[in-house]
Amino acid sequence: MIVLKKINNNVAVCQDGNGRELIAFGRGIGFPPTPYELTDLNKVDRTFYNVSSKYIPLLNDIPIEIVQFTARQMLEIQDKLPYETSANLVLTLADHIAFAIERAGRGIYVQMPSVYEMEMNFPLEVKIGRRFIAAAKRELKLNLPKGEVQGIAMHLINARNAPAMNGSAGEIEDQYEEILEYTTQMIEWELGVTVRRDTFNYARFATHLQYLLKRIFEKKHIDSDNLQMYHCIREEYPDVAACVDKISACYQRDWSAELTEEEKLYLIMHVNRVCSKGKYIKENQQIFPIIS
């Protein structure tokens, strides 16, 4: 196996004997100067094939124990799924879990769709979500919010089929790219940043926006107890909040889409994440700490 590029000391982009590119995990495999030939394959703990290049930077952001935990869980349940999943699922699911931990640390809890309603349509995915939550408590000593059962189930469902705008959303599916680009340009203009559209953070933001539009056009808004946090964040980061207010006003004007304060809070978090790390906005005010 040829180690082509270091991601960090324990993760690297490699090439196997058949010329196929992969991501390899192993203690110290990224430490020597690259490229080099790794002759002792016992040093490799786990490999991932066909991972999109835009997801690879996540490996520098997500704690390695979260990635390893997610990979172990997926390995155990993969044969139980009656369908193939995206090669990127382990990383996107690990990112979701890491983000859930960060949200819980901030005291922000998002109310997911009813687990009972989801269980009627996707019983296997909900069962796997419960398994993840129990395993996180047992192995990582993490008490993830119960709502993350639905969040994990949704990741599994979306790894098979991309989410679609339908029902009362009408023509929103056809307008989605327009709305996404319009929103992105507003962020760039209002916050004085350049948003890179070829990054995972942007793909994650685009997915969130799609869910947001689906919820508001189907009148299924986020409902939780975060209003105090919302008002605190507005006071501390007025430029980001003002940007989201303008986005909300444009949605109302152009698409009759009304955002609740809960949706605005969550959108503020995602606008922050999609902005480049370390960027400064108007009057040198820094966007609040990135949650990765």
Side-chain angles (χ1 to χ4, degrees):
M1 179 183 288
I2 305 299
V3 179
L4 300 175
K5 180 181 178 182
K6 168 183 177 178
I7 297 175
N8 57 52
N9 284 344
N10 301 309
V11 186
V13 179
C14 302
Q15 186 180 77
D16 67 13
N18 296 317
R20 297 178 64 198
E21 193 170 277
L22 62 120
I23 306 298
F25 284 66
R27 191 174 187 83
I29 65 170
F31 186 74
T34 57
Y36 76 93
E37 184 175 3
L38 179 65
T39 56
D40 184 4
L41 296 183
N42 289 326
K43 291 184 177 180
V44 177
D45 298 328
R46 185 165 281 109
T47 59
F48 299 95
Y49 283 86
N50 302 317
V51 176
S52 171
S53 60
K54 71 180 180 182
Y55 294 100
I56 292 177
L58 275 179
L59 292 166
N60 286 319
D61 295 335
I62 307 171
I64 191 68
E65 63 269 19
I66 301 297
V67 178
Q68 295 280 28
F69 164 78
T70 306
R72 286 196 305 272
Q73 296 303 311
M74 286 303 305
L75 188 63
E76 292 179 9
I77 62 95
Q78 191 69 59
D79 292 340
K80 295 179 174 60
L81 292 172
Y83 49 81
E84 294 292 325
T85 58
S86 166
N88 304 311
L89 177 58
V90 168
L91 293 186
T92 57
L93 188 51
D95 176 69
H96 174 84
I97 292 170
F99 192 26
I101 294 167
E102 291 286 352
R103 289 199 309 269
R106 287 177 175 269
I108 299 174
Y109 299 95
V110 177
Q111 182 66 44
M112 295 288 184
S114 168
V115 68
Y116 303 108
E117 179 181 342
M118 181 175 284
E119 197 164 22
M120 291 178 62
N121 297 311
F122 304 101
L124 178 58
E125 288 80 3
V126 170
K127 182 178 180 180
I128 291 171
R130 290 194 174 106
R131 177 192 176 112
F132 264 84
I133 299 300
K137 184 175 183 178
R138 183 177 64 253
E139 298 181 23
L140 303 177
K141 312 303 179 188
L142 293 174
N143 290 310
L144 292 175
K146 291 181 180 179
E148 292 307 321
V149 168
Q150 297 95 294
I152 291 167
M154 288 169 65
H155 267 270
L156 292 168
I157 295 163
N158 292 331
R160 176 187 58 177
N161 294 313
M165 297 289 186
N166 50 38
S168 60
E171 299 178 352
I172 290 301
E173 183 175 7
D174 295 332
Q175 300 181 48
Y176 172 67
E177 292 297 331
E178 175 190 347
I179 296 173
L180 172 61
E181 180 59 27
Y182 184 77
T183 305
T184 305
Q185 290 179 10
M186 286 194 68
I187 293 169
E188 292 179 320
W189 177 260
E190 296 296 331
L191 298 181
V193 299
T194 299
V195 176
R196 290 186 55 191
R197 291 157 173 77
D198 60 346
T199 65
F200 173 74
N201 275 341
Y202 188 71
R204 178 168 49 193
F205 171 74
T207 298
H208 166 73
L209 190 64
Q210 193 168 21
Y211 283 132
L212 169 67
L213 292 172
K214 181 176 175 65
R215 283 196 300 269
I216 60 181
F217 279 94
E218 292 182 351
K219 310 298 182 184
K220 295 180 179 179
H221 297 285
I222 288 177
D223 181 20
S224 57
D225 299 318
N226 299 319
L227 289 182
Q228 183 175 358
M229 174 66 71
Y230 169 71
H231 293 299
C232 288
I233 286 180
R234 285 193 63 86
E235 291 178 3
E236 191 168 357
Y237 308 103
D239 281 354
V240 182
C243 174
V244 169
D245 283 344
K246 290 184 178 180
I247 291 171
S248 177
C250 289
Y251 283 9
Q252 176 71 47
R253 181 194 66 209
D254 297 336
W255 295 288
S256 300
E258 184 176 358
L259 272 64
T260 66
E261 291 185 344
E262 295 281 357
E263 295 286 8
K264 287 182 181 180
L265 169 62
Y266 209 41
L267 188 54
I268 287 171
M269 296 171 67
H270 280 275
V271 168
N272 172 63
R273 296 181 90 193
V274 81
C275 292
S276 301
K277 292 185 179 181
K279 281 284 187 181
Y280 282 75
I281 57 178
K282 295 178 181 178
E283 298 180 357
N284 215 34
Q285 178 194 344
Q286 192 174 23
I287 298 174
F288 69 86
I290 299 277
I291 301 174
S292 298

